[in-house]
Amino acid sequence: MNNKKVNWLFLCLIMVDLSVLALQIISYVVFGTGLSIGIAANFILSELMLFLPGLLFLLTSWNKPGAVGLNEMLGFRKMKLSSFFMVILFTFLIMPMTTAINAISMLFVDNAVSAISDDVLKMPFPVMLFLIGIYGPFCEEFVFRGIIYRGYKNSGPIIWSIFWSALLFGLMHMNFNQAAYAIAIGIMFALLVEATGSLWSSVIAHMIFNSEQVCLMYLVRYIYPDTYSASSASEGLTTETLLAVIGPYLIAAVAATSFAVCVLVWLAGNEDRKERLRSIWEGRKMKGGRFVSVPLIIAIILSLGYMILDVVMTRLA
């Protein structure tokens, strides 16, 4: 897999996503109702729409099956047990950063997660914990850190591979709110993969991150069973309230993220990859293949166009 194939893959993912949305619109216009399949089925389908095209592109790019196995090609390597526990710590340390970015984005756009939270809470906790906390993160890491990031890394400097793979990870969420912090997460997860040398590290971190959000959602609902509504709670946040909390969030984010970077350095040393981690910054000026191509430009325009249209339609509603 190289950058050209990666860009075609991302365009394919965006086209599949938009095609499903188009079917929903057509269904609403023709039959007066959208394609309603339930929140659980929706999660299963949306992740399959990532995983299956990614797997197809990967298999068609696997030119030397006798030389490199798929696990090795994707980076599914073993980590030390001590590294596993430090990955958990790293994950919790980057959470204040994502919270701060989420709060800042809510000054301009609605919280996308809260819009579906009430539907999520209608489902049994184990079901949603598996779908959001385990199944989803594995599919997304398989595609974005396993295929897209490694494809870019085969074509140019690592630092730009990290940036572009993180950008695409954000755009794939198809809304500005999630895209904002997903880009930051994508950067941190790619650095984590480089520090450990294993895709399992980002898979574990992503699972912990999502699972914590699910557990918190159900915990709040359990504490306030009669009054809690995620969507109404989000709508009740005023600009003044957000501005009041952003400052403390930013301070916590800077402090926690600084410790997260220290954990990355420790992980690189523990896995004998300090030179690899150092080479990311040192190789920023290296020349390599061009990351941007026509399919990527089309995909970015389509995704941004949909996100802008979504904001406009939400404001007009």
Side-chain angles (χ1 to χ4, degrees):
M1 185 76 73
N2 55 35
N3 62 323
K4 293 181 180 179
K5 291 183 178 180
V6 163
N7 291 343
W8 276 108
L9 169 60
F10 185 66
L11 177 58
C12 175
L13 295 176
I14 294 297
M15 292 300 296
V16 170
D17 204 8
L18 291 178
S19 297
V20 172
L21 290 171
L23 285 175
Q24 290 180 322
I25 295 173
I26 293 172
S27 174
Y28 184 82
V29 172
V30 176
F31 302 105
T33 179
L35 297 173
S36 180
I37 59 174
I39 191 69
N42 184 63
F43 272 111
I44 294 172
L45 177 63
S46 62
E47 297 299 341
L48 281 178
M49 286 160 50
L50 279 177
F51 182 82
L52 293 180
L55 181 61
L56 178 62
F57 269 74
L58 179 66
L59 292 176
T60 55
S61 302
W62 194 21
N63 298 322
K64 298 178 180 181
V68 180
L70 278 176
N71 284 347
E72 184 69 16
M73 185 177 181
L74 290 168
F76 283 113
R77 303 185 184 95
K78 292 181 180 180
M79 292 186 299
K80 296 178 181 178
L81 182 60
S82 55
S83 294
F84 168 78
F85 288 111
M86 292 301 281
V87 167
I88 296 175
L89 175 60
F90 173 84
T91 307
F92 282 99
L93 286 172
I94 65 173
M95 287 181 181
M97 173 191 67
T98 60
T99 303
I101 296 173
N102 182 43
I104 294 171
S105 72
M106 288 173 64
L107 291 171
F108 309 99
V109 293
D110 294 334
N111 188 311
V113 174
S114 66
I116 64 169
S117 294
D118 291 336
D119 290 329
V120 170
L121 291 171
K122 293 176 183 178
M123 299 296 297
F125 170 70
V127 173
M128 299 317 295
L129 181 63
F130 171 75
L131 291 178
I132 300 176
I134 299 175
Y135 166 70
F138 179 83
C139 292
E140 291 175 14
E141 291 307 309
F142 174 85
V143 173
F144 284 97
R145 254 63 65 185
I147 300 176
I148 291 179
Y149 171 57
R150 289 183 175 275
Y152 279 143
K153 202 166 63 167
N154 291 335
S155 306
I158 297 178
I159 192 169
W160 288 109
S161 303
I162 291 173
F163 168 78
W164 281 106
S165 62
L167 177 64
L168 301 195
F169 180 57
L171 291 176
M172 194 65 225
H173 286 78
M174 301 296 278
N175 66 81
F176 286 109
N177 171 246
Q178 285 181 292
Y181 59 82
I183 291 172
I185 290 174
I187 292 172
M188 299 305 287
F189 283 179
L191 289 172
L192 184 62
V193 170
E194 287 301 321
T196 61
S198 174
L199 184 62
W200 284 119
S201 62
S202 65
V203 170
I204 293 167
H206 201 153
M207 287 181 176
I208 294 170
F209 186 90
N210 281 21
S211 296
E212 187 268 347
Q213 300 299 314
V214 176
C215 291
L216 183 61
M217 196 184 303
Y218 277 85
L219 178 61
V220 174
R221 199 275 303 269
Y222 176 78
I223 297 174
Y224 304 103
D226 300 322
T227 60
Y228 177 71
S229 170
S231 57
S232 61
S234 176
E235 291 171 0
L237 290 174
T238 64
T239 300
E240 291 74 17
T241 303
L242 287 169
L243 288 173
V245 300
I246 285 174
Y249 281 161
L250 284 174
I251 294 172
V254 170
T257 305
S258 298
F259 281 111
V261 173
C262 294
V263 172
L264 276 177
V265 174
W266 186 93
L267 281 166
N270 196 47
E271 296 290 339
D272 298 322
R273 291 179 62 85
K274 273 192 174 182
E275 289 299 323
R276 182 67 173 182
L277 196 63
R278 188 180 295 113
S279 68
I280 294 175
W281 178 252
E282 293 175 348
R284 65 190 184 281
K285 296 181 180 179
M286 291 175 56
K287 294 182 178 180
R290 295 173 61 183
F291 290 94
V292 179
S293 63
V294 173
L296 181 62
I297 294 172
I298 294 173
I300 291 175
I301 291 173
L302 288 174
S303 56
L304 286 176
Y306 172 80
M307 291 158 67
I308 293 171
L309 180 63
D310 182 56
V311 172
V312 172
M313 296 300 294
T314 301
R315 296 289 170 84
L316 294 176

